[in-house]
Amino acid sequence: MGVSTSGPDKGIALVTVDFPPVNALPVQGWYDLADALRTAGRDPEVRCVVLAAEGRGFNAGVDIKEVQRDTGHTALIGANRGCYEAFAAVYECEVPVVAAVHGFCLGGGIGLAGNADAIVASDDATFGLPELDRGALGAATHLARLVPQHLMRALYYTSRTATAAELHAHGSVWKVVPREGLRAAALELAAEIARKDGSLIRLAKAAINGIDPVDVRRSYRFEQGFTFEANLSGVADRVRDTFGKGASS
């Protein structure tokens, strides 16, 4: 349980997330993931990182129950900062990051996958931001990297999800494969990347980030301000308290 790193093949670091039952990460989990990604990227022997998960789905976002248990704002601030660091660690990893996505990729999962350099998904993968149903905002920055603008807005406002096949049609998912072949397919792409010169692939990552039209760190931080505003106003608690109870407002 937690975040682990292994080296399945030469030049590849496999960072695996495992927080049963649904990979909804606690505050410390986001920081642990950020540390693992940054450490892997700094390793001179690593030329590509694969980000994967165990269990039912890739990522279900923040541990809402941890936020609900906190009578103040400590957990919320921690979750905001932890997500910010983990998303940034994917984007700023010194080498390309391939996300291997299965099952649900929701909330914070969109932040991780959206900031990855490439995505390989299983045919049962679904992507979405149910934030409005959970009393939160955020990660539209990253969803906008996966789908066109108007689709992003419709998905965001409705809390609906898109399938791996739909994202593949939009060009944001590299390959869709049966679930049992996901890890192998992600490692295959990572191996192709890892065969490049190590110094040159790092320069390529820095160069591509440098020409990105959107500063993902700044835009996501802007979104987080509205998340906190929703909490201070009380609307977030009102919506969040219905989470997991089969009710909606």
Side-chain angles (χ1 to χ4, degrees):
M1 178 175 169
V3 179
S4 60
T5 303
S6 59
D9 294 297
K10 182 179 180 181
I12 300 173
L14 174 63
V15 175
T16 306
V17 177
D18 185 14
F19 284 89
V22 295
N23 282 324
L25 272 59
V27 170
Q28 187 58 51
W30 292 107
Y31 283 108
D32 291 345
L33 178 55
D35 288 344
L37 289 164
R38 293 190 185 281
T39 298
R42 286 193 297 265
D43 185 341
E45 298 301 317
V46 172
R47 300 180 183 183
C48 188
V49 172
V50 173
L51 175 59
E54 298 290 349
R56 291 162 52 188
F58 177 73
N59 190 282
V62 169
D63 184 348
I64 298 296
K65 293 181 180 178
E66 182 181 35
V67 176
Q68 290 175 319
R69 287 193 298 267
D70 185 8
T71 57
H73 293 119
T74 301
L76 174 65
I77 293 172
N80 272 5
R81 291 179 176 175
C83 285
Y84 181 79
E85 289 301 324
F87 301 171
V90 175
Y91 186 78
E92 296 170 353
C93 183
E94 295 180 26
V95 298
V97 176
V98 175
V101 179
H102 74 280
F104 44 79
C105 179
L106 304 172
I110 294 293
L112 298 172
N115 268 0
D117 294 276
I119 302 169
V120 177
S122 61
D123 52 16
D124 68 344
T126 55
F127 301 74
L129 287 177
E131 311 306 275
L132 294 184
D133 290 341
R134 298 182 181 180
L137 299 167
T141 292
H142 312 94
L143 185 59
R145 296 166 66 84
L146 299 176
V147 298
Q149 280 288 328
H150 284 81
L151 179 55
M152 178 274 287
R153 288 170 180 259
L155 291 173
Y156 194 88
Y157 296 147
T158 62
S159 298
R160 292 193 185 192
T161 59
T163 66
E166 289 171 326
L167 264 62
H168 182 262
H170 290 298
S172 51
V173 167
W174 173 261
K175 182 181 289 188
V176 180
V177 298
R179 183 158 176 171
E180 61 270 18
L182 175 62
R183 190 68 59 88
L187 290 173
E188 180 182 20
L189 175 58
E192 184 174 348
I193 294 171
R195 287 195 289 269
K196 306 299 182 184
D197 180 86
S199 296
L200 196 59
I201 200 69
R202 290 166 186 271
L203 290 173
K205 176 68 183 276
I208 290 176
N209 279 6
I211 63 171
D212 230 329
V214 174
D215 182 337
V216 294
R217 292 193 65 154
R218 184 174 64 183
S219 60
Y220 177 56
R221 195 62 172 160
F222 178 81
E223 289 186 74
Q224 285 188 319
F226 289 95
T227 297
F228 201 68
E229 183 177 322
N231 277 269
L232 291 178
S233 70
V235 65
D237 286 336
R238 186 170 70 244
V239 175
R240 190 184 298 122
D241 286 346
T242 69
F243 177 71
K245 299 178 181 178
S248 62
S249 59

